[in-house]
Each structure stands twice: as structure tokens, then as C-alpha cells.
Amino acid sequence: MKSQSIFITGTDTDVGKTYTTLVLASLLKHQGIHTGVFKPVQCGGDDAAFLKKHLELDDDLRTINPCFAREPLSPHLAFERQKTPVDLAAIDRAYEQLRDKYDVLLIEGAGGLMVPVNKDLMICDLIRRFQTDVVIVSRLGLGAINHSLLTINQVRQAGLKIRGLIFNQTEPGRRGIPEQTNPEAVAAYGQVKQLGTVPYLKDLKSTSIIKRCDGVIDTHLLLKSPSNPNTRRLTEWDKQYVWHPFTQMRDWLTDEPLIIDQARGSYLIDTDGRRYLDGVSSLWVNVHGHGKEHIDRAVKDQVDRLSHSTLLGLSNTPAVELAKKLIEIAPSGLSKVFYSDNGSSSVEIAIKMAYQYWQNIGQTQKTGIVHLANSYHGDTLGSVSVGGIDLFHKVYRNLIFPTIQIDFPDCYRLPEGKQYPDYAFEYVDRMEAYFRDHHQELAAMVIEPIVQGAAGMIIWPGGVLKRMEDICRRYDVLLIADEVATGFGRTGRMFACEHEEVSPDILCLAKGITGGYLPLAATLTSQRVYDGFVFDYADQKTFFHGHTYTGNPLCCAAAIASLEVFGKERVMAKLAPKIKYLSKHLQMFYNLDSVGDVRQLGMMAGIELVADRATREPYPWTEKIGVKICQEVRKHGVILRPLGNVIVIMPPLSITKAEIRTMLDATYKAIQAVVQGS
Ligand SMILES: *Cc1c(COP(=O)(O)O)cnc(C)c1O
């Protein structure tokens, strides 16, 4: 098991490093964490023996403190005068031994960072040798700000990371103004986290330390990696066995994974009990919040009746009931439901249907599938074929089937002199010209109506979608609307097509369909498309497609329950004020120079970061600015996931205004911190 070591250094000598180490170790032990201490170099005094005794450690004193000099002087001098050089090999051996033994090892320095150990080595070099993060101990009182900030600067200059700063009340009595205000001032000027202030302790028995310090000192902050043994085990197994999607595993292995164990409402809760606002609805799926009683109940009840039975040759109750409900709420003109279990499949099914439809009815030359630039329809090869995002799709170029990609602008970066929305319509005009010339070879066009999500929340100007529908109608090309992301209320209407009263021939649904509970997808079709498959058995015009779990009853039960919540709780009506609120507060992001554009439709929003606002020059993707911001925002208890340089905001529809505010404030601070720091 990999343990972690933390180096405890002081802003000066006699600031109470040893007391602080004792307090931290006592608190960690109290939480069931196997904690040891290490004092590599000691000159005079009995710090190591003191810690060994109070913490009841069974290690040899020579292991806890391998290098000892009698005189209370700076180590470089004390060891020289004693004519025993500091034995680095012994330090390394002892360190390894203790590190292997304990889950957490607290290493106490001698004096401050710039104390020479010998003529080649300072304490800060020793810290680098151990490759640990640093906790700085500072004494409360006049002078603390200066001493603390000097040390903070020095730690950073040495390329070391600060876990936090801890203050020590070294004298009894009431705290005066400096004592009361030191921590806040140092946190603000030094941009470091505060672990708390150790009160003046007369009694050093562990029970009284726990009594005085538990809850006063933040040991969560102290431990970068999880303190909970269960978390540690899961972390190790995760790294050993799990391959994460869309993830460079090399980066993953160097980070501490966040392992989610529970969720309630808008919050995810990790294995250590920390709560995080779910700012992207668990990847755009959650609708009514986590642990929604009505859906929980429906799934549990369904488990008691039937968990799975096939739709190949049989039917099942929830699948039938859900199909009826979906058709009732879907845009007009749709009358049949074909189930699958993920968004990519729902699109792939739509494409196969559209293609076979024309074959079945004898228009065999209509085979072309049109899609747009910047489109994203999923990751299976069929859905990648209609994808327009180079980063995701180009490696697979030789595996995919040929399609027709129609150019479409990204709505933010327009050429000189071009204006929105006219510019977008120039593209629609070109699309129309293409259709006029080629419609006899075109089977279908697949689009993400109004919001191209994965491309970075590109939002079309009003009227574009309607024009696209008109073009498809005029030239008899089937319109496939992929509402995998936009469906189920996300844009402020149940379906994005409703904004422009568009009736696609085929509609793809997934993500939010079960309220974010279970994997389910549906491809809805018009009667006309469906009728194109209704022939004699012998004609072999059947739709030859089906997945093993098609129409799974548990998934369908969750979806029915989710739709019931929409009705019973008037979700869409209640959404309007939240959308307004979100929109109003998103404006503050324009105060940040690094924010180029803020886009929003309903509860889907994107904040695009730019290296230069005037030229709209993007951050180089290698800078991972989005990733960094989303990592930073976690520290404020919010989970987000970026799309390149775009920070996506897509909370559950059930989020409250107060939670929206919390999420946006945290995002704002995170952008500030990362951009200032870069
Ligand atoms: C997420 C998404 C998909 C793919 O859905 P999966 O369930 O991940 O396969 C397809 N289309 C759009 C628009 C999406 O946002």
C-alpha cells in the first residue's frame, strides 16, 4: 500500500512544530489512520523521544531520528563540531522503513526551510529528496504575517507544494487582534489553505488533544489522498483494474481519483463523505436530482416484478407503457419507438433505418448521409461516421463509412465583417444549394437541433433549425434529430425541436430519458418510416437490428417514473425562473478577461476561455485550461467537466437557485485562480 508523507516545517525555530506534529498525528490516529513520525535531523532537545512517548510508537528511536547532534545549534554546525557528518544513507534507510510501515508519515524538519544541514544541503533540499508536500507551522502574534509569507514564497520557489498552513498558539491567554486576524491575512496574501489554529495545550494526553483539536484542525485538507482505508483500497484497485473513458490513463494514474459512493439531490458524495455539487448532471443525464424518491421506488418495485425479459419475440409491461408515453410527449409526427441502450446506438439505429427505408421502398440511389461540421453523435463506428470533431474522430477515419459533411460555423469565431445571425444563414443557403443538386442521392441528414453540445455548446441562431427542416422536406431527405443531449427539458422545452415547431422523421433520445438512472435509449420514427419496413416476411425488408437488453424493464420503469415527475411536479413550468437566474448570473463571467463567450440555452451553458479576448485566440489545447479549471473547482465542492476550452454548466433541472449561485461563484473563483496562476 502506498503511504503518504508530509513534511512539517516552521516559519522559524520554536514555533511549535513538534507540538503541531503531535496534534496532527494524534488526530490522524484517532481517525484510525496508521500514522508515524520521522525526525531525520535533530540538534539538542528530545523532540523525537517526546513524540515516540506521547504517540506510543514502537519504532526504534534511531529510526525515528537517525541523525542526532547534542548541541542545540544549526545542524551544519552542530554536526561539524561533533565530527559526525550527517548520514544521508541512514536517513534514506529510516525514511523508507517508516514510509513502508505507516499510511501517513509526518516528517519534522529542524528549524525553518533555509537551515543548512551541511555545506551542500538545506532543509528544503531534504524535502525535495523525500518528494513530499509541505505543511507550514506558524506562530500566532505580531510578525507572523511576514514570517509566514516569506516561508510560503520560499517553499514555492523551491518548487514544492504547500498542503496548508497551521497556526500555533504558543502562549496561554486570550487572543489579541494580531492573533485573531493572522490566519485570515496569511490565507489571503499567501493564497494558502488554513488547516486551523492549534490552541495552547497544557495537557498533552491524547484524549485531551482530541477534545481540544478535533474539528478545529482540518485533517481532510492535510491529507491529499483519501484518509479512509476503504477509499485507499478502491483507489488502488481503480488504478490497477479500471480503464476510464475519454481519459489519458497516464494522467489518471498520477492523480487521486474521486470515488463517488452516494448521491442526494444536486450533490455527489465521495467515499470520504465529501459533498460536491453535480454541475454537469453526471455527464448530462441527471434530471430530477439524485435519489429521487419516486424513481427509486419505481425501480425497486420493478425489481420485485421483473428485471429483464427480451423484446425479441416478447414484450414487457414497462416497455409498452413507456413507448405510449414517449409518443404522447414527442414532437408531432412521431409514432413508433425502437429501444436501445445508449445514445450512440440510437443514432446508429436511426441511420440504418433511414438508409434501409429508401432501399426498402425501391429508391436505392438515395444512400447519402449528411451531417454537420462540429457534430457529435456518439462513439460507436456508425455514430463516429457522422461525427465532425477531428480530435475524437480522425484516428478512426479508415474504419468509418463515407458521409457528406456540410460546413457550419461555430457561431463565435466569425470572419471579419460577418455578423450573426446572417452568417449562419449563408451556410444554410449553401446547404440548400447542395441539397438541390444532390437530393436524389441523399437518404438523411442527422443534426443536433440548436445546441451542438460536445463541440462546446455551440448554439444556433433562431430560425436555422426550421430552415433545415424546410430543406429536408422540400428535397425529400429524412431529418434525424439527435436529441440525446437536448431532450427531456435541458433547453427549457421538453425537446429542442419544440423551440421551432420542428417535426423530425426520426428522433434519437438517451441521456436524460431515465432521469439519469439507467442506460436506455430510444429511436422514435414517423409512421412513414415505419411503414417502409412493413412487408411480407419473405421480402426480407425487416429491420434487422436489436440489442440483448432492448427495452429493459428496469430502465423503462425508471423512464416512466421520470416522466411522471415531470408532470406531477410541473418541472418545466418551474424551470423558467431558474433559467432566467442562471442567465443573469452567467453575465458576471464577462468580468473575467479570459472569458471570451458565454452561451446558454435553457439549462445548458458553456463558458469559453480565450487567450486573447479581442482576437478570440483560443488557449492552446496542450495547456488544458479547461481541465485545470475543473480540477480547481473541485476544491470548492463542485464537479464540472470541460469540453476543451469550454467550461460546461449543465446541472440537474432540479437544482435550486442557491445551488446555481454556489456553482457559479465557485466556477468564477476557479477560473480566476487558474488564469492568474498560469
Ligand atoms: C452523448 C451524446 C451521444 C452519445 O450517447 P452515448 O449514450 O454516450 O452513446 C450522442 N449524441 C449526442 C448529441 C450526445 O450528446
Side-chain angles (χ1 to χ4, degrees), residues 170-432:
T170 49
E171 266 146 41
R174 268 176 46 106
R175 291 178 194 170
I177 294 174
E179 287 80 7
Q180 286 171 30
T181 54
N182 282 161
E184 201 183 316
V186 173
Y189 289 106
Q191 292 279 306
V192 285
K193 296 219 188 77
Q194 297 294 319
L195 301 179
T197 298
V198 177
Y200 179 76
L201 297 167
K202 246 192 349 229
D203 180 359
L204 295 176
K205 273 206 294 292
S206 84
T207 45
S208 46
I209 290 179
I210 304 301
K211 209 165 124 205
R212 300 281 309 276
C213 301
D214 197 16
V216 173
I217 305 299
D218 188 342
T219 48
H220 254 358
L221 277 179
L222 173 70
L223 299 179
K224 181 182 62 183
S225 62
S227 49
N228 173 336
N230 182 41
T231 309
R232 248 177 295 122
R233 197 169 50 235
L234 291 170
T235 298
E236 210 174 293
W237 289 344
D238 177 285
K239 291 184 177 183
Q240 194 172 352
Y241 300 114
V242 183
W243 186 348
H244 288 265
F246 273 98
T247 303
Q248 176 44 257
M249 291 306 288
R250 174 181 278 181
D251 295 343
W252 180 267
L253 293 179
T254 60
D255 266 355
E256 284 309 311
L258 193 57
I259 303 175
I260 301 302
D261 188 54
Q262 299 176 53
R264 272 283 163 276
S266 307
Y267 286 88
L268 300 166
I269 303 162
D270 75 5
T271 43
D272 289 342
R274 278 177 286 225
R275 292 157 58 84
Y276 301 88
L277 251 174
D278 187 358
V280 287
S281 307
S282 293
L283 224 80
W284 315 4
V285 298
N286 193 280
V287 179
H288 309 296
H290 296 272
K292 184 74 187 169
E293 169 126 39
H294 186 67
I295 309 178
D296 289 359
R297 177 63 27 223
V299 174
K300 287 175 188 167
D301 288 349
Q302 186 57 43
V303 169
D304 288 338
R305 303 176 70 85
L306 165 73
S307 292
H308 185 66
S309 148
T310 182
L311 277 202
L312 279 70
L314 294 172
S315 197
N316 73 62
T317 313
V320 175
E321 286 175 359
L322 175 61
K324 176 169 183 290
K325 278 187 185 295
L326 287 174
I327 294 305
E328 282 166 4
I329 59 163
S332 66
L334 297 166
S335 56
K336 300 289 172 183
V337 176
F338 191 97
Y339 290 115
S340 57
D341 44 40
N342 64 81
S344 311
S345 294
S346 75
V347 173
E348 204 150 321
I349 286 164
I351 293 168
K352 282 176 77 175
M353 280 175 171
Y355 180 90
Q356 191 181 344
Y357 168 78
W358 296 111
Q359 298 298 305
N360 278 0
I361 66 166
Q363 299 215 37
T364 50
Q365 76 295 350
K366 278 177 87 73
T367 56
I369 305 291
V370 176
H371 67 91
L372 300 181
N374 296 315
S375 57
Y376 175 81
H377 297 288
D379 298 329
T380 59
L381 285 174
S383 51
V384 167
S385 302
V386 287
I389 300 176
D390 238 24
L391 174 67
F392 301 164
H393 301 141
K394 72 167 180 249
V395 225
Y396 310 110
R397 210 161 23 212
N398 291 331
L399 293 180
I400 63 185
F401 64 79
T403 56
I404 300 125
Q405 174 164 312
I406 299 267
D407 225 11
F408 201 75
D410 91 350
C411 304
Y412 172 50
R413 291 191 176 77
L414 308 179
E416 275 287 313
K418 294 293 183 185
Q419 294 239 320
Y420 242 72
D422 302 358
Y423 187 60
F425 285 102
E426 287 177 26
Y427 280 80
V428 180
D429 290 341
R430 257 174 266 163
M431 171 188 288
E432 176 152 16

